[in-house]
Amino acid sequence: MDIQEYSEVERLKAEVILLSSQMATNILEIGQRLTDIREKVKHGDWDAWVETNLPFSKRWANQYIRAYKEFGNSSSHLPAKKMFLLLDLPEEQREPFIQQPHELPSGETKTINEMSTREIQAEIKARKEAEKKTKELERQLADLQNRPEPEPRIIEREVIPPEAQRQISEAKATANQLNKVSDENKRLKLELEALKSNSIDDRLSMEAKVSTFTGRIKEFIRQMSPLGYLGQEVMRTSPKAQKDYENSIKALEKWCQDMRDAMIRPKENKIIEAEVIQ
């Protein structure tokens, strides 16, 4: 670079070092200056220049530049840690993620400014896992749709030995399992069509609600596990207590069955009612 460019780079470098020691809100300005420097430094010399001239690594320098390019035109003012976390999201999801409130597994609803960095990491991870699961379901469905139909086989009538009978029984069991898989694929196809007809935000919001539901079920099981000994001791209680115990178990089983039915037949819009055991 010539003397004028060298002088300009030195001025920008001094500003970068100064800004990096100040509040996190300056990261966009740091990124802007580093972007200008990288354009002026000779091609191929960027890594060496960062290592020699800056008080942070090349990785952080590139993060500053990326933050400036991604958030330079955004109206949102976020702390540095949260801004860097959001770089893991696709660009089209980032602004809705910042603007919308988020329902956490604990049941709380928070804005991004109220969420901790750990909560933001968990929410981003949940979104990625949901997208990964959707892609895997699409792949499984495509594989099954492309699988060729088995050719029919003609079996001559003959006395079937016991071992062959066992193999036939296993084949029938396998066929039944394949029928179940086919039904499951149809259900998955309906789910995928429903997911594609909704916006990404609506879908991920539902994933968050399902995550909250499963979290509360796990918490219920954790709290009730220490009472497992009651199954052995209940016979020592009065007939009324035994009846209450039995009714409670039946009510719980019915509720679980209703939840399964509602999941398999969502179009019925069935309302799940839980009997309160007095």
Side-chain angles (χ1 to χ4, degrees), residues 197-211:
S197 65
N198 296 326
S199 66
I200 293 176
D201 293 330
D202 289 342
R203 183 185 67 200
L204 295 178
S205 176
M206 184 57 65
E207 288 283 349
K209 291 178 181 179
V210 171
S211 178

Side-chain angles (χ1 to χ4, degrees), residues 111-123:
T111 65
I112 192 170
N113 290 322
E114 297 169 335
M115 295 168 69
S116 66
T117 54
R118 182 173 298 178
E119 289 170 336
I120 293 175
Q121 283 178 314
E123 183 72 9

Side-chain angles (χ1 to χ4, degrees), residues 29-40:
E29 295 189 29
I30 295 175
Q32 181 180 13
R33 286 162 173 77
L34 287 175
T35 300
D36 293 341
I37 291 175
R38 191 167 65 174
E39 292 175 354
K40 298 179 185 300

Side-chain angles (χ1 to χ4, degrees), residues 258-270:
D258 287 344
M259 293 300 292
R260 293 191 190 96
D261 292 343
M263 180 178 65
I264 296 173
R265 297 189 295 274
K267 291 185 178 180
E268 294 181 3
N269 293 325
K270 184 176 181 181

Side-chain angles (χ1 to χ4, degrees), residues 55-255:
F56 42 80
S57 67
K58 182 191 77 171
R59 174 178 174 275
W60 276 106
N62 291 337
Q63 284 286 76
Y64 282 126
I65 291 173
R66 187 180 173 196
Y68 165 68
K69 290 183 176 180
E70 300 287 350
F71 293 98
N73 296 323
S74 174
S75 60
S76 302
H77 301 285
L78 297 173
K81 287 185 178 180
K82 293 184 179 181
M83 189 176 294
F84 286 138
L85 285 176
L86 293 178
L87 291 176
D88 287 339
L89 283 175
E91 184 177 357
E92 66 273 9
Q93 296 182 23
R94 203 170 294 138
E95 193 63 25
F97 188 94
I98 294 172
Q99 299 300 331
Q100 71 180 17
H102 299 271
E103 185 174 350
L104 306 181
S106 63
E108 297 179 274
T109 300
K110 294 183 179 181
T111 65
I112 192 170
N113 290 322
E114 297 169 335
M115 295 168 69
S116 66
T117 54
R118 182 173 298 178
E119 289 170 336
I120 293 175
Q121 283 178 314
E123 183 72 9
I124 292 175
K125 181 180 178 181
R127 289 190 174 215
K128 288 185 176 181
E129 289 177 350
E131 291 178 354
K132 183 179 179 181
K133 180 180 178 182
T134 299
K135 290 180 181 178
E136 178 62 20
L137 292 176
E138 290 175 339
R139 185 192 65 78
Q140 292 178 9
L141 184 59
D143 289 344
L144 288 168
Q145 289 174 339
N146 295 329
R147 184 179 299 173
E149 293 289 337
E151 296 182 0
R153 294 187 304 168
I154 300 176
I155 302 176
E156 296 182 2
R157 189 179 182 127
E158 60 181 355
V159 177
I160 302 176
E163 178 61 20
Q165 290 180 352
R166 184 186 64 80
Q167 293 177 357
I168 291 173
S169 297
E170 291 179 353
K172 289 181 179 179
T174 301
N176 290 333
Q177 185 64 27
L178 288 174
N179 287 334
K180 292 180 180 179
V181 170
S182 178
D183 292 340
E184 178 67 5
N185 287 333
K186 291 177 182 178
R187 184 181 69 80
L188 292 176
K189 184 176 181 180
L190 292 174
E191 286 183 1
L192 288 172
E193 290 174 353
L195 285 172
K196 291 178 180 178
S197 65
N198 296 326
S199 66
I200 293 176
D201 293 330
D202 289 342
R203 183 185 67 200
L204 295 178
S205 176
M206 184 57 65
E207 288 283 349
K209 291 178 181 179
V210 171
S211 178
T212 299
F213 172 84
T214 56
R216 292 181 181 178
I217 293 297
K218 290 178 181 178
E219 178 63 17
F220 170 78
I221 293 173
R222 186 187 67 78
Q223 292 178 358
M224 297 304 293
S225 292
L227 300 179
Y229 69 89
L230 287 178
Q232 300 174 354
E233 302 295 331
V234 71
M235 297 307 296
R236 299 183 182 183
T237 62
S238 66
K240 181 180 182 304
Q242 294 178 27
K243 188 66 175 176
D244 289 344
Y245 179 87
E246 183 180 358
N247 288 341
S248 297
I249 295 300
K250 288 181 178 179
L252 181 57
E253 290 174 342
K254 181 179 182 301
W255 182 84

